[in-house]
Amino acid sequence: MTVNSVENIEIIPTGEALGAEVRGLDLSQDMPDDVIEKVTEAWGEHLVLLYRDQDLTDEDIIKYSGYFGGHQAAGARQQRREIGMKDAGKGSPTDMRINYVSNLDDDGKPTQHNRGIGSHEIRWHSDNTYVEVPPTGTLLWAEIIPDDDSGNTMFCNQVLAYEDMPDDMKEVIEGKHMMHDGSRTTANLVHPHRTMPESQEEIDGPVHPIVRIHPLTGKRVLFLGRRWNYPSTYIVEMPGDDGEELMDQLWAHATQEKYVWSHSWRTKDILQWDNRAVMHRRTAVNPTQKRVLHRTLIKGDPVISAWENNAAAE
């Protein structure tokens, strides 16, 4: 029996609306085709997979992403690189396939504020929806984790959120699209290579349908991305107060506790989530303790609009 074999795999659901722990695999080792098939099946069912006690290098993480389509460079980072700007933060990797999510300052000490998100809470979002083809998924591996259970990552199931949506709300959002602003950082600051928009006409970003079709299951998925303050996020067909009210309702519905699973990190955990079908957020981190995680994005496939695929599963 090889190190990674289907016979060794044990899948343990969280018991919540999404998420499962996968045991019996070493992600630093090669994955046979039947193992990838089994993992892909579990990923489709549970949307977020957790692997514990994984001794991984950045190359291991990138290699693992290759089983699901390969890496995708983070959109804003790619744009900065193209105009000759250096990556922010001391020790940031030069490899565009990986980036570090940390609360360290330029001296390597934990802090509340750094050039990234620091130790702040992060609001609900999907990764990189400000590009035309957002990543399929995300891999996030924990190198250093605080010992006080701060900085948990929470996920909400947007397949269920759409399925459970009242019929009258489904009717209201039918055919509607949302603008996804690409000017802001995760910390809600303007990117150094961009200008903060002051009106909807100045928004620079893609327009995505509020509901997309999942390419593997054919199911409809609520697709909200990240909501910034006016004017950066708006419904194209409802750009005024009515659109703001509808977005309030959508985010309140999509992030209900019944759709959420919260992950409490341990060192050497790695999470694999489906960026097409979940949103995630992070609770605040203790700014006196180090937190360093390694992330790569899994190459995306074009967004399939539910409005142009009415024959797809409802």
Side-chain angles (χ1 to χ4, degrees):
M1 188 177 296
T2 61
V3 173
N4 289 326
S5 66
V6 171
E7 292 79 9
N8 286 347
I9 296 176
E10 183 180 6
I11 298 171
I12 305 170
T14 64
E16 305 297 335
L18 71 171
E21 181 181 351
V22 181
R23 297 178 181 175
L25 295 179
D26 180 350
L27 272 56
S28 70
Q29 303 298 313
D30 291 340
M31 298 284 174
D33 290 344
D34 59 345
V35 168
I36 295 303
E37 183 178 350
K38 180 71 173 180
V39 170
T40 301
E41 179 183 326
W43 196 23
E45 179 178 356
H46 301 288
L47 304 180
V48 185
L49 301 180
L50 163 65
Y51 303 85
R52 292 199 184 272
D53 302 315
Q54 298 290 323
D55 285 300
L56 301 174
T57 65
D58 287 346
E59 285 296 331
D60 290 332
I61 299 169
I62 293 165
K63 179 181 177 181
Y64 185 70
S65 75
Y67 295 117
F68 304 94
H71 75 280
Q72 177 168 319
R77 190 177 179 211
Q78 181 69 46
Q79 294 165 16
R80 290 194 298 269
R81 181 69 65 89
E82 288 174 354
I83 63 173
M85 293 185 65
K86 295 181 179 180
D87 295 320
K90 183 177 181 180
S92 294
T94 58
D95 191 330
M96 289 296 291
R97 300 174 297 174
I98 203 91
N99 71 290
Y100 299 158
V101 180
S102 88
N103 67 341
L104 305 185
D105 62 18
D106 284 351
D107 295 321
K109 298 179 181 178
T111 182
Q112 180 68 31
H113 313 284
N114 62 11
R115 288 190 244 176
I117 195 62
S119 296
H120 296 280
E121 178 183 358
I122 303 176
R123 67 179 71 186
W124 286 110
H125 68 286
S126 301
D127 286 329
N128 280 214
T129 62
Y130 57 81
V131 299
E132 286 291 343
V133 181
T136 288
T138 301
L139 295 172
L140 189 61
W141 178 77
E143 177 186 359
I144 304 172
I145 293 296
D147 62 11
D148 62 353
D149 204 36
S150 64
N152 290 340
T153 302
M154 304 169 70
F155 299 90
C156 56
N157 186 329
Q158 297 305 280
V159 178
L160 287 181
Y162 181 79
E163 290 177 351
D164 290 352
M165 184 178 289
D167 288 341
D168 58 348
M169 185 179 288
K170 287 182 179 179
E171 292 176 6
V172 170
I173 67 173
E174 186 76 16
K176 292 184 171 60
H177 303 77
M178 193 174 296
M179 171 62 76
H180 293 248
D181 183 14
S183 66
R184 300 174 190 256
T185 69
T186 302
N188 201 14
L189 302 172
V190 66
H191 286 293
H193 64 294
R194 304 290 288 272
T195 301
M196 185 67 81
E198 297 182 359
S199 67
Q200 291 179 346
E201 291 72 25
E202 296 177 1
I203 302 299
D204 181 15
V207 171
H208 292 308
I210 292 179
V211 179
R212 68 185 294 180
I213 300 296
H214 197 289
L216 298 182
T217 65
K219 292 183 177 180
R220 289 190 171 199
V221 182
L222 193 60
F223 187 48
L224 302 181
R226 190 194 304 256
R227 187 179 181 185
W228 298 123
N229 297 336
Y230 180 89
S232 286
T233 303
Y234 65 91
I235 297 174
V236 175
E237 295 83 4
M238 301 172 63
D241 291 342
D242 289 344
E244 290 290 315
E245 182 178 349
L246 178 56
M247 286 191 292
D248 287 343
Q249 295 171 1
L250 286 172
W251 258 268
H253 171 77
T255 61
Q256 293 179 76
E257 186 176 350
K258 64 181 178 179
Y259 303 134
V260 173
W261 168 61
S262 180
H263 174 58
S264 179
W265 287 93
R266 297 193 326 216
T267 302
K268 299 182 182 179
D269 281 353
I270 184 168
L271 288 179
Q272 173 181 350
W273 66 83
D274 189 330
N275 197 53
R276 302 164 296 191
V278 306
M279 288 197 295
H280 62 283
R281 64 178 294 265
R282 188 187 78 189
T283 61
V285 179
N286 183 343
T288 69
Q289 294 198 35
K290 293 182 178 182
R291 185 180 189 271
V292 179
L293 299 98
H294 300 222
R295 185 187 80 160
T296 196
L297 302 176
I298 299 172
K299 187 176 181 179
D301 37 45
V303 175
I304 304 172
S305 173
W307 317 139
E308 301 168 4
N309 293 269
N310 293 325
E314 298 276 330

